[in-house]
Amino acid sequence: VIDYQLPVAGHVSLKVYDLLGREIATLVDAKLLAGRYKTTWNAAGAASGIYFYQLRAGDFVQWKKLVLLK
């Protein structure tokens, strides 16, 4: 589960990447209102390991690391 908060409404993109920079999944690609959100990544087809996710909201871009253990 990935938690995030938007201070203002806008277009949001949330994508998951592997260590080589390949896009694995697009979890959110929509215009959202201001508020708190939780997005679940169904990683059934992904192997255990380290992944990164990118949250883009307007001019804001944030990268975070996540560890998937199965």
Side-chain angles (χ1 to χ4, degrees):
V1 176
I2 300 172
D3 295 323
Y4 56 97
Q5 182 175 349
L6 302 175
V8 296
H11 186 267
V12 176
S13 171
L14 180 60
K15 297 182 179 187
V16 179
Y17 296 87
D18 66 10
L19 282 174
L20 298 176
R22 295 179 296 212
E23 184 179 322
I24 302 299
T26 299
L27 305 179
V28 178
D29 188 18
K31 184 169 175 103
L32 300 177
L33 299 174
R36 292 184 152 259
Y37 293 90
K38 289 185 180 187
T39 301
T40 302
W41 176 32
N42 181 357
S48 294
I50 297 173
Y51 294 87
F52 294 92
Y53 66 88
Q54 179 193 59
L55 175 65
R56 229 180 239 278
D59 294 333
F60 176 80
V61 179
Q62 181 179 46
W63 287 88
K64 291 229 175 164
K65 179 173 73 170
L66 63 89
V67 178
L68 176 64
L69 297 174
K70 288 189 173 186

